[in-house]
Amino acid sequence: MKAVSTQRLAWAITGSGHYLRESLEILSTLQDVDIFLSRAAAEIIQQYGFQAQLEETGHRVYQDKTASSVPVELFYQGKYHTLVIAPATSNTIAKMAYGFSDSLVTNLFAQAGKTRVPSIVFACDTAPELESEAPRENMVKVYPRQIDLDNVAKLACFEATKVVADMAELTHAIHERLIGLK
Ligand SMILES: Cc1cc2nc3c(=O)[nH]c(=O)nc-3n(C[C@H](O)[C@H](O)[C@H](O)COP(=O)(O)O)c2cc1C
């Protein structure tokens, strides 16, 4: 395992419009971060017109281009102290809750768990009724299904996994983790 001081934060973004803007804002305040995009995230960032914000964070960006999720190897090298997944779609939450690792982001979560690197997950579907941002700044009402809420609750029981419900909790959890590493 590498010395903590040389380790970085891994931040995965999935294909969610919900709190994507805010997640990018938090990312722009952090240092020593690598970003990992799901295939859907790469599309959604374009659709919402957030490519410039992503680039302005100045962080290295890894895309989901390979069947075996090659960038996951970086976890085996001990490069990261923490994995943040924000925002996390109901799709990725469901896969992670049932132990799937068939995409870059679900692989990062699985390998973080297997190498005992803590994860912080902001799940989109944390309440029965939500206001969500659609492309072109339209707000829409969404009603997560019971299965979506159940999957979030299941994931929250995983070892070394903190599920947060809003941006304030996400910011707090990241800062707590960074302070704990010093
Ligand atoms: C404009 C747009 C916005 C979306 N926003 C969300 C969202 O807020 N939450 C969600 O769970 N899925 C959302 N989706 C659907 C996901 O992108 C889709 O389920 C995708 O397969 C997720 O893949 P991933 O989990 O690998 O990123 C959105 C799709 C589109 C086209």
Side-chain angles (χ1 to χ4, degrees), residues 18 125 127-132 140-144:
H18 192 59
D125 297 336
E129 192 177 322
L130 302 164
E131 283 261 311
S132 197
V140 287
K141 270 236 151 109
V142 291
Y143 305 92

Side-chain angles (χ1 to χ4, degrees), residues 20-143:
L20 174 59
R21 177 192 299 278
E22 293 80 359
S23 295
L24 289 169
E25 279 167 13
I26 298 173
L27 267 165
S28 70
T29 67
L30 298 173
Q31 290 177 339
D32 303 322
V33 177
D34 291 340
I35 296 176
F36 299 83
L37 302 183
S38 75
R39 292 175 62 208
E43 290 178 6
I44 296 290
I45 285 167
Q46 297 288 338
Q47 265 185 283
Y48 281 70
F50 289 159
Q51 186 61 35
Q53 283 90 326
L54 175 69
E55 285 166 18
E56 278 161 20
T57 65
H59 305 311
R60 176 179 294 176
V61 177
Y62 292 92
Q63 307 260 357
D64 189 354
K65 302 267 189 201
T66 56
S68 60
S69 299
V70 170
V72 156
E73 187 201 349
L74 299 167
F75 267 84
Y76 299 138
Q77 295 169 10
K79 194 167 174 189
Y80 301 106
H81 54 70
T82 310
L83 171 66
V84 173
I85 307 178
T89 58
S90 51
N91 173 60
T92 288
I93 293 287
K95 288 198 208 179
M96 295 192 304
Y98 282 87
F100 284 81
S101 45
D102 66 347
S103 64
L104 179 56
V105 177
T106 55
N107 253 306
L108 290 171
F109 180 69
Q111 299 315 323
K114 292 179 190 182
T115 55
R116 299 203 166 149
V117 172
S119 292
I120 301 168
V121 182
F122 167 66
C124 297
D125 297 336
T126 50
E129 192 177 322
L130 302 164
E131 283 261 311
S132 197
E133 185 175 343
R136 292 168 290 282
E137 295 185 37
N138 294 326
M139 296 306 287
V140 287
K141 270 236 151 109
V142 291
Y143 305 92

